[in-house]
């Protein structure tokens, strides 16, 4: 590599490093496909089993059950197209909720507080735990299942 080509390459690397360090949206694009993202489901229902089924376009984890205080987690790499999406159906007693538990967007990762989306089922709804603030935020109410 000639001297001027090497200098341009080094300059490019420094700019890329600085951009990823100081611009969250840039670091979001750089990390795509390089790091793993995670979804965790936690049953914080008092003495009730939580039934759930989580899916993506390519994966179906099947119908599962979590005991009180039980947890289930999976990790994955997002695709380069930015279309990675997981959604879950949740049930307990006569209550139901269905929603996206992971979307590959900057806003969604901000709501999670990072690449680890932690969902907690409680009697009054489903909460998202923000990793950085250590706070639960109610995101979804339970809907009654109609007989």
């Amino acid at each position: 590599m000639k001297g001027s080509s090497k200098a341009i390459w080094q300059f490019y690397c420094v700019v890329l490093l600085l951009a990823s360090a100081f611009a969250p949206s840039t670091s979001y694009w750089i990390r795509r496909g390089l790091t793993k993202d995670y979804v965790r489901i936690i049953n914080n229902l008092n003495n009730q089993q939580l039934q759930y089924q989580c899916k993506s376009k390519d994966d179906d984890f099947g119908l599962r059950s979590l005991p009180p205080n039980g947890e289930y987690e999976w990790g994955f790499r997002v695709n380069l197209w930015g279309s990675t999406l997981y959604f879950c159906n949740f049930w307990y007693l006569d209550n139901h909720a269905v929603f996206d538990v992971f979307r590959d967007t900057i806003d969604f990762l901000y709501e999670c507080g990072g690449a680890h989306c932690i969902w907690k089922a409680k009697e009054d709804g489903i909460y998202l735990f923000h990793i950085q603030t250590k706070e639960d935020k109610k995101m979804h109410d339970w809907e009654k299942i109609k007989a």
Side-chain angles (χ1 to χ4, degrees), residues 3 24 33 42 47 53 56 59 82 84 94 96 112 121 123 141 146:
I42 301 174
N47 300 316
Q53 183 173 16
S56 73
D59 299 307
T84 303
D94 61 346
H96 175 258
C112 293
E123 279 76 14
D141 289 316
K146 296 176 182 166

Side-chain angles (χ1 to χ4, degrees), residues 32-33 57-58 76-85 104:
R32 178 176 297 244
K57 178 183 171 192
D58 301 317
F76 52 92
R77 296 190 194 287
V78 299
N79 64 36
L80 296 176
W81 300 235
S83 62
T84 303
L85 172 104
D104 186 18

Side-chain angles (χ1 to χ4, degrees), residues 98-126:
V98 59
F99 56 89
D100 296 342
V101 295
F102 181 87
R103 282 190 315 274
D104 186 18
T105 65
I106 294 170
D107 292 338
F108 198 84
L109 291 174
Y110 176 78
E111 288 286 330
C112 293
H116 214 118
C117 297
I118 301 172
W119 296 94
K120 296 181 179 182
K122 300 181 182 187
E123 279 76 14
D124 65 333
I126 306 220

Side-chain angles (χ1 to χ4, degrees), residues 42-106:
I42 301 174
N43 180 0
N44 283 153
L45 299 169
N46 289 328
N47 300 316
Q48 294 294 328
Q49 290 280 341
L50 175 68
Q51 308 296 323
Y52 65 98
Q53 183 173 16
C54 297
K55 298 179 181 184
S56 73
K57 178 183 171 192
D58 301 317
D59 299 307
D60 182 346
F61 298 121
L63 186 59
R64 296 175 175 257
S65 181
L66 275 178
N69 300 312
E71 298 183 12
Y72 177 73
E73 179 177 275
W74 71 94
F76 52 92
R77 296 190 194 287
V78 299
N79 64 36
L80 296 176
W81 300 235
S83 62
T84 303
L85 172 104
Y86 283 92
F87 70 95
C88 296
N89 287 289
F90 297 93
W91 303 270
Y92 95 96
L93 299 176
D94 61 346
N95 299 291
H96 175 258
V98 59
F99 56 89
D100 296 342
V101 295
F102 181 87
R103 282 190 315 274
D104 186 18
T105 65
I106 294 170

